[in-house]
């Protein structure tokens, strides 16, 4: 690392080597050359006599040994990166030099390579997403019966279960997976379309043979790794695709953000936490602290990711006619960042969900503090069964509930509602009987555990089975810092 200049934290701190390599200059320029090879090879196969088998062989032999210094020097001279690399390639391939880039525009290599990178990057994202889904599915299964307080407005509402709560995050991720699968079908090659998408130069090269030009488009697309090409383009592939790609990735960011913020709140309640290393330092001053730093990092990265789609929307909306160059500089930054941010977020998500910690005793403590209030309707019905007036019992329970709530909030006392009710001669139950009415927390969780089982069986397991080969692959979710 060069410590004298700015370093991109996404690369130096947060992301996987595999994703970094996809957006490297080596990967980009090597695949520019593969595009030129695919074009020349297709032209030769379709009978273009200017392109010989020897030329194609020479181009193939020099795909990987790029002279970056020659290309960089030429770019400083002519201010055009594609033509600089055409020059550098031609220096190494003197026989093929006359036919490199024949009939193509710069966006032939730029767009096709960008699309290929995005296609492969999306595959990495999909793998990471599936790993999180598998982790959360295991967590939900293992914790489906643990009753815990449910919250609305971050106020205690009704009990749910730990597993059921985490199915909410799972469902968001399954929606994200659906969007990825749809996006995968949208990513096609730009193909060989010419300067403004009309294939005018190629129709000249093939002497007006439209079918050969159409086949050139199809053949080049297949050779560079696509099953299909966009049927029409301007100079570039449609920037609408970039907008949809950014939206899909930002959707993963929103799902992760929701999970991370909830985990931070649960960490404050001391009921559920992210993993914490034995030597990890929570604070430079407060030695006892266990800050949820991974979830906090996820929140920050997701916030950045969720802000990117507007840039892609503005770029797509401002491509005048067949193309303007204001897309270039921003896409160089934002496209890589969108994928790198998503990669970093999923690394954290996998890491956290691999070993989340639940504290049942602390959960029980919170339940005990709030459950008497939540159980008042059950107590009311039990009083009626013992022959008491519902209206009278409602008023008695209301009086004591207000008094207990006042003591909790104003005096910092524990919830003593059951004690107040037990001391009131109008209530036909003693303290032990009242405790027994609310002792089984599970009875207040409704169908939460069953819903979890049904959801995992009907929605999650079929997905994991369909992608079992991907789920089985190892994913590096270790954190650099």
């Amino acid at each position: 690392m060069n410590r004298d200049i700015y370093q991109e934290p996404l690369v130096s701190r947060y992301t996987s080597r595999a994703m970094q390599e996809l957006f490297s200059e080596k990967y980009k320029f090597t695949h520019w050359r593969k595009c030129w090879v695919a074009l020349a090879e297709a032209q030769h196969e379709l009978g273009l006599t200017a392109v010989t088998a020897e030329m194609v062989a020479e181009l193939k032999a020099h795909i990987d040994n790029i002279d970056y210094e020659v290309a960089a020097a030429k770019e400083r001279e002519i201010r055009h990166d594609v033509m600089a690399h055409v020059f550098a390639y031609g220096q190494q391939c003197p026989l093929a030099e006359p036919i490199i880039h024949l009939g193509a525009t710069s966006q032939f290599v730029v767009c096709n390579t960008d699309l290929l990178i995005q296609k492969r990057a999306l595959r990495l994202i999909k793998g990471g997403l599936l790993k999180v889904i598998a982790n959360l599915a295991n967590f939900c299964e293992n914790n489906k019966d643990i009753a815990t307080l449910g919250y609305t407005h971050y106020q205690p509402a009704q009990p749910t279960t730990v597993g059921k709560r985490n199915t909410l995050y799972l469902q968001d991720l399954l929606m994200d997976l659906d969007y990825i699968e749809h996006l995968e079908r949208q990513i096609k090659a730009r193909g060989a379309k010419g300067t403004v998408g009309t294939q005018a130069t190629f129709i000249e090269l093939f002497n007006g043979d439209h079918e050969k030009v159409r086949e050139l488009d199809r053949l080049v697309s297949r050779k560079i790794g696509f099953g299909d090409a966009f049927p029409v383009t301007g100079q570039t592939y449609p920037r609408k695709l970039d907008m949809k790609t950014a939206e899909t990735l930002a959707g993963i960011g929103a799902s992760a953000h929701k999970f991370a913020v909830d985990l931070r709140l649960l960490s404050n309640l001391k009921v559920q936490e992210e993993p914490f290393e034995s030597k990890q330092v929570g604070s430079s001053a407060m030695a006892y602290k266990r800050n949820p730093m991974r979830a906090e990092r996820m929140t920050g990265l997701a916030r950045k990711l969720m802000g990117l789609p507007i840039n892609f929307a503005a770029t797509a909306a401002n491509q005048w006619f067949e193309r303007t160059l204001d897309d270039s500089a921003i896409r160089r930054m934002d496209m890589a960042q969108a994928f790198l941010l998503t990669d970093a977020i999923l690394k954290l998500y996998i890491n956290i969900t691999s070993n989340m910690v639940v504290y049942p005793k602390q959960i029980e403590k919170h339940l005990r503090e709030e459950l008497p209030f939540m159980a008042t309707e059950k107590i009311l019905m039990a009083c009626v069964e013992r022959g008491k007036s519902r209206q009278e019992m409602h008023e008695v329970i209301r009086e004591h509930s207000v008094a207990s709530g006042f003591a909790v909030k104003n005096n910092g006392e524990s919830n003593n509602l059951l004690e107040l009710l037990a001391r009131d001669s109008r209530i036909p139950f003693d303290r032990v009987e009242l405790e027994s009415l609310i002792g089984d927390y599970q009875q207040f969780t409704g169908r939460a555990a069953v819903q979890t089982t049904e959801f995992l069986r009907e929605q999650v397991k079929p997905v994991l089975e369909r992608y079992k080969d991907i789920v089985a692959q190892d994913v590096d979710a270790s954190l650099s810092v």
Side-chain angles (χ1 to χ4, degrees), residues 207-231:
N207 298 315
D209 191 329
H210 286 268
E211 191 48 48
K212 278 195 174 182
V213 172
R214 293 192 70 187
E215 181 57 26
L216 177 73
D217 195 25
R218 291 190 288 261
L219 189 55
V220 167
S221 299
R222 288 197 297 270
K223 285 179 179 294
I224 59 179
F226 291 90
D228 199 4
F230 284 104

Side-chain angles (χ1 to χ4, degrees), residues 227-388:
D228 199 4
F230 284 104
V232 293
T233 72
Q235 188 173 89
T236 68
Y237 71 83
R239 296 313 189 209
K240 180 80 169 183
L241 176 65
D242 289 350
M243 177 180 165
K244 292 302 175 184
T245 299
E247 289 172 354
T248 300
L249 298 177
I252 296 173
S255 298
H257 192 287
K258 156 70 173 166
F259 166 83
V261 169
D262 282 3
L263 188 58
R264 291 163 62 190
L265 295 171
L266 291 170
S267 178
N268 171 261
L269 296 172
K270 298 180 176 65
V271 301
Q272 186 176 325
E273 290 181 339
E274 65 185 33
F276 196 87
E277 305 296 338
S278 60
K279 297 291 186 180
Q280 185 173 327
V281 175
S283 168
S284 61
M286 295 162 280
Y288 62 88
K289 291 193 76 179
R290 289 172 61 102
N291 297 335
M293 53 82 69
R294 303 174 206 205
E296 290 174 310
R297 184 179 296 177
M298 277 178 70
T299 306
L301 293 170
R303 185 179 302 144
K304 169 73 171 175
L305 176 57
M306 290 187 293
L308 290 182
I310 187 62
N311 294 345
F312 291 96
T315 297
N318 280 287
Q319 288 302 286
W320 304 347
F321 305 113
E322 279 65 48
R323 193 261 176 122
T324 60
L325 195 61
D326 60 327
D327 67 337
S328 178
I330 192 167
R331 287 182 70 259
R332 286 176 189 264
M333 296 178 287
D334 281 359
M335 185 55 73
Q337 283 205 348
F339 279 101
L340 287 165
L341 282 163
T342 311
D343 176 73
I345 289 165
L346 288 173
K347 278 193 72 174
L348 285 162
Y349 212 157
I350 295 167
N351 183 283
I352 291 170
T353 55
S354 295
N355 195 25
M356 276 192 296
V357 184
V358 176
Y359 298 105
K361 291 299 182 182
Q362 188 71 8
I363 289 174
E364 183 178 339
K365 174 186 173 184
H366 287 291
L367 280 168
R368 282 191 165 276
E369 289 173 352
E370 301 294 340
L371 205 55
F373 293 132
M374 299 174 188
T376 52
E377 186 173 8
K378 184 176 182 181
I379 294 171
L380 175 62
M381 292 300 100
C383 289
V384 172
E385 287 178 3
R386 292 218 174 167
K388 295 291 185 177

Side-chain angles (χ1 to χ4, degrees), residues 57-334:
E58 186 181 56
L59 290 174
K60 286 183 176 180
H62 293 280
I63 286 176
D64 295 312
N65 59 327
I66 301 171
D67 193 329
Y68 294 101
E69 295 303 319
V70 168
K74 193 66 176 178
E75 185 176 355
R76 286 193 293 271
E77 175 189 341
I78 65 176
R79 297 289 187 265
H80 198 290
D81 56 351
V82 174
M83 289 308 296
H85 277 268
V86 169
F87 175 80
Y89 205 8
Q91 294 291 294
Q92 295 171 310
C93 304
L95 179 65
E97 189 273 338
I99 58 89
I100 297 173
H101 198 68
L102 184 62
T105 188
S106 297
Q107 290 304 309
F108 167 71
V109 291
V110 173
C111 281
N112 282 315
T113 295
D114 283 356
L115 288 161
L116 185 63
I117 290 170
Q118 291 165 39
K119 181 181 178 181
R120 293 180 179 173
L122 197 62
R123 195 178 303 156
L124 293 179
I125 297 300
K126 188 177 183 179
L129 188 64
L130 285 163
K131 203 70 173 179
V132 178
I133 290 171
N135 285 352
L136 277 176
N138 288 333
F139 184 83
C140 291
E141 178 65 37
N142 294 335
N143 296 278
K144 64 184 178 184
D145 294 318
I146 299 181
T148 189
L149 277 179
Y151 295 85
T152 60
H153 315 278
Y154 198 40
Q155 304 301 313
Q158 288 184 346
T160 183
T161 71
V162 174
K164 168 63 196 308
R165 172 178 286 141
N166 280 265
T167 62
L168 304 180
Y169 313 129
L170 258 177
Q171 184 165 250
D172 287 349
L173 297 177
L174 290 178
M175 292 175 67
D176 293 323
L177 181 62
D178 284 342
Y179 289 125
I180 284 180
E181 290 172 337
H182 177 75
L183 182 61
E184 286 178 319
R185 295 190 292 272
Q186 300 297 311
I187 299 179
K188 307 176 180 69
R190 179 191 177 273
K193 296 294 198 299
T195 304
V196 294
T198 63
Q199 299 174 308
T201 51
F202 295 121
I203 202 70
E204 281 189 40
L205 286 172
F206 286 98
N207 298 315
D209 191 329
H210 286 268
E211 191 48 48
K212 278 195 174 182
V213 172
R214 293 192 70 187
E215 181 57 26
L216 177 73
D217 195 25
R218 291 190 288 261
L219 189 55
V220 167
S221 299
R222 288 197 297 270
K223 285 179 179 294
I224 59 179
F226 291 90
D228 199 4
F230 284 104
V232 293
T233 72
Q235 188 173 89
T236 68
Y237 71 83
R239 296 313 189 209
K240 180 80 169 183
L241 176 65
D242 289 350
M243 177 180 165
K244 292 302 175 184
T245 299
E247 289 172 354
T248 300
L249 298 177
I252 296 173
S255 298
H257 192 287
K258 156 70 173 166
F259 166 83
V261 169
D262 282 3
L263 188 58
R264 291 163 62 190
L265 295 171
L266 291 170
S267 178
N268 171 261
L269 296 172
K270 298 180 176 65
V271 301
Q272 186 176 325
E273 290 181 339
E274 65 185 33
F276 196 87
E277 305 296 338
S278 60
K279 297 291 186 180
Q280 185 173 327
V281 175
S283 168
S284 61
M286 295 162 280
Y288 62 88
K289 291 193 76 179
R290 289 172 61 102
N291 297 335
M293 53 82 69
R294 303 174 206 205
E296 290 174 310
R297 184 179 296 177
M298 277 178 70
T299 306
L301 293 170
R303 185 179 302 144
K304 169 73 171 175
L305 176 57
M306 290 187 293
L308 290 182
I310 187 62
N311 294 345
F312 291 96
T315 297
N318 280 287
Q319 288 302 286
W320 304 347
F321 305 113
E322 279 65 48
R323 193 261 176 122
T324 60
L325 195 61
D326 60 327
D327 67 337
S328 178
I330 192 167
R331 287 182 70 259
R332 286 176 189 264
M333 296 178 287
D334 281 359

